[in-house]
Amino acid sequence: MNNPFENALVQLDKAAKIMNLDKNIHETLKYPDRVLMVSVPVQMDNGETKVFSGFRSQYNNALGPYKGGIRYHQNVSLDEVKALSFWMMVKCATVNIPMGGGKGGIIVNSKELSESELERMSRVYIQKIWRNIGSQIDVPAPDMYTTPKIMGWMLNEFEKLLGHADPGAITGKAIADGGSAGRETATAQGGVYVVRELAKKLGLKPAETTVAVQGMGNVGGFMAKILRGDGYKIVAMSDSKGGVYSENLNLEALFKHKEETGSVQNLEGTQNVTNAELLELPVDILVPAAMENQITKDNVNKIKAKVIVEMANGPTTPEADEILKQNGVVVVPDVLANAGGVATSYFEWVQNVKNEKWTEVEVFAKLEPLMIKAFDEVWETKEKYSIDLRTAAFVKAIERVASKMKH
Ligand code: GLU
């Protein structure tokens, strides 16, 4: 069962049972408020028009404007976008920011588009959804294969259509376009704050703790570097094509090798591994920072890590979750572990709305206590009900959402 939306609903049901959720609210939360499905005709460089399919799911806005990224990927689907928007609702509520849940996407392999095609596609997508977004309505941001530059094009298109400035309508922008200091590394940094708290609870010593990171994008790449700075031993990393493993992995050499060859594989002194093999390596901490549905009932019993820190959205299926729990593996769920990104998007939104500019030091001075508080609340909820951390985060989040729902 790898339909992400079905998985999300299984997680909802599990939390609803524990917290004795009002049955009408439970029923309402099984559906997104609204899903926009749009065609995105793009004039390609050769003069021909190609039509892409785009989505924007606005799941719930009880706590504030819908909030969440836009993904460009060939596997985007209606159910994926719905699931991701549901998880955004839970994520924003877990870290207690006044934002709801949303997510968008276009079915496209953006690596096959030229920069000008990418810009035209991003602008047409905004032309199709602009009446339903805005700083007080729905605030998009980057997600897989979307960047600060793309956010800048989108905001520019949006403001042209709107007829006036509304810089808080889109976050994750470049600094020059009104973005926030720290946003680029914020997801990884937030994950590191969580790892530090967890290490205190579990008595993990960085110098004796090995880590494998799946994914080398904005999240996995920075996460590896910051964790290494904390003294952790990063022994494996991968990108979408595969990875490498070595007890003495040299991160500088690895990033340089990837830049030079376009791949991390075949780095001298390391062993090539597939993405599937990376998950099964004998490490202490596994950090999935790529796609959903990586840890499933088919590979879960081969996972040797004692701790999984979900920096990707939805990397573990509910069936695998159950087995991990039985196997004594601690899973720090996506809605907590990777929430530093959206929390900093919220800080960007606040700066835009109030016309302020915070330094990176100021941003992280706000992010750190926010993440630690969320971690403590989720940990307490886990102890209170004797449940796993994911269900605890859901319970805490859905309590907040439910208390603000109009019914
Ligand atoms: N795409 C990121 C996420 O999944 C960030 C969303 C945002 O900043 O709104 O959390």
Side-chain angles (χ1 to χ4, degrees):
M1 189 182 72
N2 288 341
N3 176 323
F5 190 60
E6 283 172 23
N7 291 348
L9 292 183
V10 171
Q11 295 166 343
L12 170 68
D13 290 350
K14 210 166 150 185
K17 211 183 225 166
I18 302 277
M19 65 195 285
N20 219 346
L21 181 65
D22 174 278
K23 86 174 190 328
N24 298 316
I25 291 192
H26 185 180
E27 190 56 26
T28 307
L29 284 176
K30 290 180 187 169
Y31 302 87
D33 282 345
R34 176 191 289 127
V35 183
L36 306 169
M37 291 170 69
V38 297
S39 64
V40 185
V42 180
Q43 192 185 7
M44 306 304 277
D45 292 342
N46 65 7
E48 281 172 22
T49 293
K50 204 165 163 184
V51 184
F52 297 91
S53 297
F55 306 92
R56 181 75 187 169
S57 170
Q58 300 178 329
Y59 207 93
N60 180 288
N61 63 353
L63 295 178
Y66 303 103
K67 184 84 196 81
I70 294 167
R71 170 175 294 202
Y72 288 173
H73 197 275
Q74 57 271 40
N75 293 347
V76 164
S77 67
L78 178 60
D79 275 340
E80 187 195 59
V81 170
K82 278 162 65 180
L84 290 162
S85 65
F86 172 85
W87 286 323
M88 286 310 299
M89 170 190 77
V90 176
K91 191 185 300 189
C92 293
T94 300
V95 293
N96 208 10
I97 56 173
M99 292 279 167
K103 197 76 154 211
I106 300 180
I107 306 173
V108 61
N109 180 353
S110 60
K111 289 177 189 164
E112 288 172 0
L113 265 56
S114 70
E115 169 139 326
S116 55
E117 289 168 343
L118 198 62
E119 175 170 355
R120 287 195 290 277
M121 184 179 76
S122 305
R123 289 182 183 275
V124 175
Y125 174 72
I126 291 299
Q127 288 161 16
K128 293 294 179 96
I129 67 164
W130 77 277
R131 284 184 192 282
N132 295 92
I133 65 171
S135 60
Q136 303 302 324
I137 303 169
D138 179 0
V139 183
D143 196 77
M144 289 179 66
Y145 297 105
T146 48
T147 59
K149 191 180 210 175
I150 294 176
M151 297 305 114
W153 294 329
M154 288 183 169
L155 181 67
N156 176 275
E157 191 65 28
F158 175 67
E159 290 182 333
K160 270 202 264 182
L161 292 160
L162 189 67
H164 59 82
D166 187 16
I170 290 178
T171 62
K173 305 176 291 291
I175 308 265
D177 294 327
S180 177
R183 176 65 183 87
E184 212 187 2
T185 53
T187 310
Q189 187 63 58
V192 172
Y193 294 141
V194 167
V195 170
R196 285 181 193 157
E197 294 313 297
L198 186 75
K200 284 184 213 161
K201 298 275 185 208
L202 303 180
L204 296 176
K205 294 191 182 56
E208 293 162 18
T209 306
T210 54
V211 183
V213 181
Q214 184 193 48
M216 281 184 79
N218 205 18
V219 181
F222 286 120
M223 185 84 178
K225 287 180 187 164
I226 308 173
L227 281 179
R228 202 264 317 261
D230 270 12
Y232 286 92
K233 287 170 68 181
I234 315 296
V235 295
M237 287 202 79
S238 65
D239 62 17
S240 59
K241 292 174 232 119
V244 287
Y245 171 55
S246 163
E247 281 297 322
N248 301 307
L249 189 62
N250 178 334
L251 280 191
E252 279 72 37
L254 181 71
F255 281 96
K256 193 160 165 259
H257 180 74
K258 180 171 160 68
E259 211 180 295
E260 283 168 6
T261 67
S263 154
V264 292
Q265 293 207 310
N266 304 320
L267 175 68
E268 219 182 288
T270 66
Q271 180 192 329
N272 284 341
V273 288
T274 63
N275 262 298
E277 286 163 352
L278 178 132
L279 300 172
E280 299 165 13
L281 289 171
V283 294
D284 301 304
I285 301 183
L286 178 62
V287 181
M291 293 287 288
E292 54 261 24
N293 290 333
Q294 295 303 298
I295 304 170
T296 67
K297 67 174 186 335
D298 299 327
N299 64 356
V300 62
N301 278 314
K302 296 188 207 137
I303 304 276
K304 297 175 193 72
K306 298 178 222 44
V307 174
I308 298 176
V309 181
E310 294 184 338
M311 296 305 289
N313 289 314
T316 312
T317 65
E319 289 156 318
D321 238 355
E322 281 300 320
I323 301 169
L324 289 169
K325 194 177 169 203
Q326 285 159 24
N327 292 352
V329 179
V330 177
V331 180
V332 186
D334 46 7
V335 293
L336 173 64
N338 72 29
V342 72
T344 307
S345 265
Y346 164 62
F347 296 149
E348 178 176 337
W349 179 87
V350 173
Q351 292 171 76
N352 292 154
V353 171
K354 292 192 177 170
N355 199 15
E356 289 178 7
K357 272 253 166 269
W358 306 346
T359 63
E360 185 170 311
V361 172
E362 287 171 322
V363 169
F364 288 147
K366 291 187 201 305
L367 183 63
E368 185 170 11
L370 179 145
M371 294 301 297
I372 294 176
K373 185 155 190 276
F375 177 88
D376 287 343
E377 287 173 343
V378 170
W379 193 270
E380 253 167 49
T381 309
K382 159 191 119 75
E383 306 270 276
K384 179 171 160 195
Y385 296 105
S386 299
I387 48 179
D388 56 280
L389 286 168
R390 186 187 321 279
T391 312
F394 271 60
V395 166
K396 195 75 211 164
I398 291 167
E399 264 171 25
R400 288 186 174 129
V401 173
S403 75
K404 284 281 177 69
M405 275 170 68
K406 318 270 180 290
H407 53 94

